Structure formats: C-alpha cells, structure tokens
Amino acid sequence: MTTQFNCFQSLKSSPIRHHFNNSRTLFPRRSFISATIKQSHQHLSFESKLDILLDSVKWDDKGLAVAIAQHVDTGAVLMQGFANRDALASTISSKKATFYSRSRSKLWTKGETSMNYINICDVFLDCDRDSILYLGKPDGPSCHTGSETCYYTSVFDSLYSSQAEENKLAMTTLQSLEATIIQRKEEISESSTAKPSWTRRLLLDNKLLCSKIREEADELCRTLEDSEEIPRTASEMADVLYHAMVLLSLRGVTLEEVLAVLRQRFSRSGIEEKRSRMLEGQIWVSSTAQGEFSSWAQQSL
C-alpha cells in the first residue's frame, strides 16, 4: 500500500538585488528572471518541463550523477547512490527514491525487496547541477545492514578514540540529544551509587520536570519582553528544547513524530490547520462520550 506524505513547499530566500553603477537594467533581480522563465514555461506540458530539467543536469561521461537521500524530518543522511536520467525521472513520477545500479546496469528502487521505501517529498539539485538530493521519509531502515542510515562509522572515533563506538549513527544535534536522553532513561533501572545526572533527576520527578519547562519558557519570553541580548535568547531556547525533549522521552514520543506534525501543518494554511484541530477535537470528544456510554451500558446490563 502506498503511503502519501504532505510536504511543505521549499522556503525561498528573499531575492537578492544586484547593482552595478546603480543600474538595474544590466543586472536585473533574480525574482524578475525567475518570473520570466516561469512565464515562458507555463505553456509547456509536464513532459516537456521534465525533459528540460533532465537536460539541465550535468551527467558525467557515463550519464550518472551522485544521488543522496536525506530524511525530511530529522535531516539525517540516509544513503548515497547514483542516478541517471531515467532514475531521476522515475523518482519524480513514482515519489520513491530510485537509483541506477552500476554493478547490475539497471534501475533499482530503494525498498523494492525490503519494502523500506524512501517516500520522496522533494528533489533538489546543487548549484553545479551535478549532484542530486532526494528529500524524503523512509518507511524503515535505509541500510541493507538494518541500520537506520548507511552512515554509522565515525572516522574521528576510529582515529582518535581508544574505545570507538560501533554502529554510531551520524546524527544531527537534536538527534544526539534525544539519544542521550533515551540512554539516561534506560540507565534508571540499573542500580548505581553514583550521583544521578540532571537528566536522570528530571526523568524521575515529573513535578520537577514540568516546573523547569514552565520556568525556562518564561525566561525565554522575558528575553523578548526585556529586550535582552540575542545570545541570551538562544541560550534560553536551548534550555526549553532540552527540558521539553526529556518530557517527550517520558511520554514515549520521538522528535521525528513532532517534526512530522510540524511538516504537515506547514503544508496547509492556518485556517485549514485550525479547522482540522477543531474536527479532531470533536471526534475525540465524540469517541470519548461514546466510550463512556458503552461502559455505562455494560455496567447497567
């Protein structure tokens, strides 16, 4: 069964104005150029636009380009392969990450045997147009070894650490923090005479954790109200994130789930989002009331 994902549109940076001797005719704004190109392409069919796009890629002498798959929510680099013209076209049409196998000389779709597809949300080309980025949501482990990503060997650990960690995933900052919190959570059951870490104390005391989240959130707001220095705002936001992620761990909610909710919200307007929440609330109240009625009826019978 094919899973559909709603991905928000890429955020475009503000157009940069180029000036030369205060002349805008020699160096027009990028937004004007983009609009002109867009207008000239409006009358073209999708197939024609796709051909133009594929022609713009700088394929190597074997007709290939590096294709990297990245997790749309966590930012984790999942895997790297090669794509040719047909592989990129297939990825765009099927919304499944597709590569070209140099050893087998054929196209292959990630997940065609394991069912761990990478569902594509968008595709990016780099500035030189000789590298492709597949931005998507994986259905499961991306590595054939069963690892979350194909990148789990740290070169620095191998060179500089006497006790290199095996299968250490290349994580983003927030992923690393989440992994540390989960580790502290698992250590709670272990008997230890050592002084408990702050994270462990928070995991063991719900009231302390909630009070810290409220405290840190208030301090973050004060940086705006009191016009404090910018680094102070960043510091307070870091505290809010950390304590909130401890709560997430206690609730069994992953950061990926939170980011997925944000992605879905940004894919629709605020009015649609609010209407959706109201509908979800009505459904929850309805189901709760129905459940209570069923329970009452069973007790009464």
Side-chain angles (χ1 to χ4, degrees):
M1 180 177 180
T2 303
T3 305
Q4 298 294 331
F5 293 93
N6 295 322
C7 302
F8 57 83
Q9 297 296 322
S10 306
L11 301 179
K12 305 297 183 182
S13 59
S14 300
I16 301 175
R17 298 189 179 186
H18 298 278
H19 298 276
F20 181 76
N21 293 332
N22 294 324
S23 173
R24 295 186 181 180
T25 57
L26 292 177
F27 295 91
R29 290 182 299 163
R30 278 194 304 178
S31 58
F32 174 76
I33 297 175
S34 299
T36 303
I37 296 175
K38 187 175 182 180
Q39 289 177 1
S40 66
H41 283 192
Q42 284 180 348
H43 68 283
L44 297 178
S45 66
F46 175 81
E47 290 74 14
S48 297
K49 293 178 182 178
L50 180 59
D51 282 338
I52 293 174
L53 171 68
L54 296 175
D55 287 340
S56 72
V57 178
K58 294 181 181 178
W59 309 105
D60 64 14
D61 56 354
K62 296 181 180 178
L64 302 175
V66 172
I68 300 170
Q70 183 180 19
H71 197 301
V72 67
D73 290 327
T74 67
V77 178
L78 303 175
M79 61 173 292
Q80 178 260 315
F82 290 88
N84 62 4
R85 187 184 182 95
D86 291 338
L88 179 55
S90 177
T91 297
I92 294 173
S93 62
S94 69
K95 300 298 189 297
K96 304 291 183 185
T98 303
F99 302 86
Y100 179 80
S101 172
R102 294 176 298 172
S103 61
R104 293 177 293 170
S105 299
K106 60 179 293 187
L107 298 186
W108 67 279
T109 299
K110 171 60 186 172
E112 59 188 10
T113 55
S114 66
M115 304 306 292
N116 293 329
Y117 295 101
I118 298 178
N119 304 282
I120 298 300
C121 295
D122 206 341
V123 177
F124 287 83
L125 300 176
D126 75 335
C127 57
D128 293 323
R129 289 185 171 263
D130 59 3
S131 179
I132 305 168
L133 180 66
Y134 291 161
L135 196 61
K137 179 84 171 181
D139 284 335
S142 296
C143 184
H144 70 281
T145 63
S147 181
E148 182 180 344
T149 85
C150 292
Y151 297 89
Y152 53 78
T153 303
S154 169
V155 172
F156 279 17
D157 278 359
S158 300
L159 294 176
Y160 305 122
S161 177
S162 58
Q163 295 180 340
E165 180 182 345
E166 295 183 1
N167 295 335
K168 177 182 179 180
L169 296 180
M171 296 182 176
T172 61
T173 301
L174 290 179
Q175 281 181 298
S176 297
L177 175 57
E178 183 178 51
T180 300
I181 294 173
I182 292 176
Q183 182 180 354
R184 297 291 181 269
K185 184 179 178 182
E186 293 173 347
E187 292 172 353
I188 291 179
S189 59
E190 302 175 1
S191 58
S192 174
T193 57
K195 184 179 179 179
S197 65
W198 176 244
T199 301
R200 187 172 179 178
R201 286 180 58 190
L202 293 172
L203 289 168
L204 290 170
D205 192 334
N206 291 353
K207 290 185 178 180
L208 173 63
L209 174 58
C210 291
S211 67
K212 288 299 298 181
I213 293 177
R214 296 186 180 99
E215 175 188 332
E216 299 299 346
D218 181 66
E219 291 181 1
L220 174 63
C221 292
R222 287 182 181 276
T223 65
L224 175 62
E225 296 169 343
D226 300 340
S227 300
E228 298 182 9
E229 296 181 352
I230 298 299
R232 177 72 174 173
T233 301
S235 176
E236 294 302 336
M237 185 60 194
D239 289 338
V240 172
L241 275 174
Y242 159 69
H243 288 90
M245 287 178 66
V246 175
L247 186 148
L248 288 179
S249 181
L250 276 174
R251 295 291 296 166
V253 177
T254 65
L255 182 62
E256 182 179 338
E257 292 175 282
V258 176
L259 295 174
V261 172
L262 282 174
R263 173 163 51 84
Q264 292 170 359
R265 289 182 180 178
F266 279 119
S267 66
R268 51 189 171 182
S269 69
I271 296 177
E272 292 176 339
E273 157 62 17
K274 186 174 182 180
R275 185 184 298 116
S276 174
R277 287 201 203 181
M278 293 177 62
L279 180 60
E280 290 174 357
Q282 293 173 358
I283 294 175
W284 183 84
V285 171
S286 176
S287 61
T288 301
Q290 184 177 2
E292 291 176 350
F293 174 80
S294 299
S295 177
W296 172 83
Q298 290 177 358
Q299 293 176 2
S300 302
L301 293 175

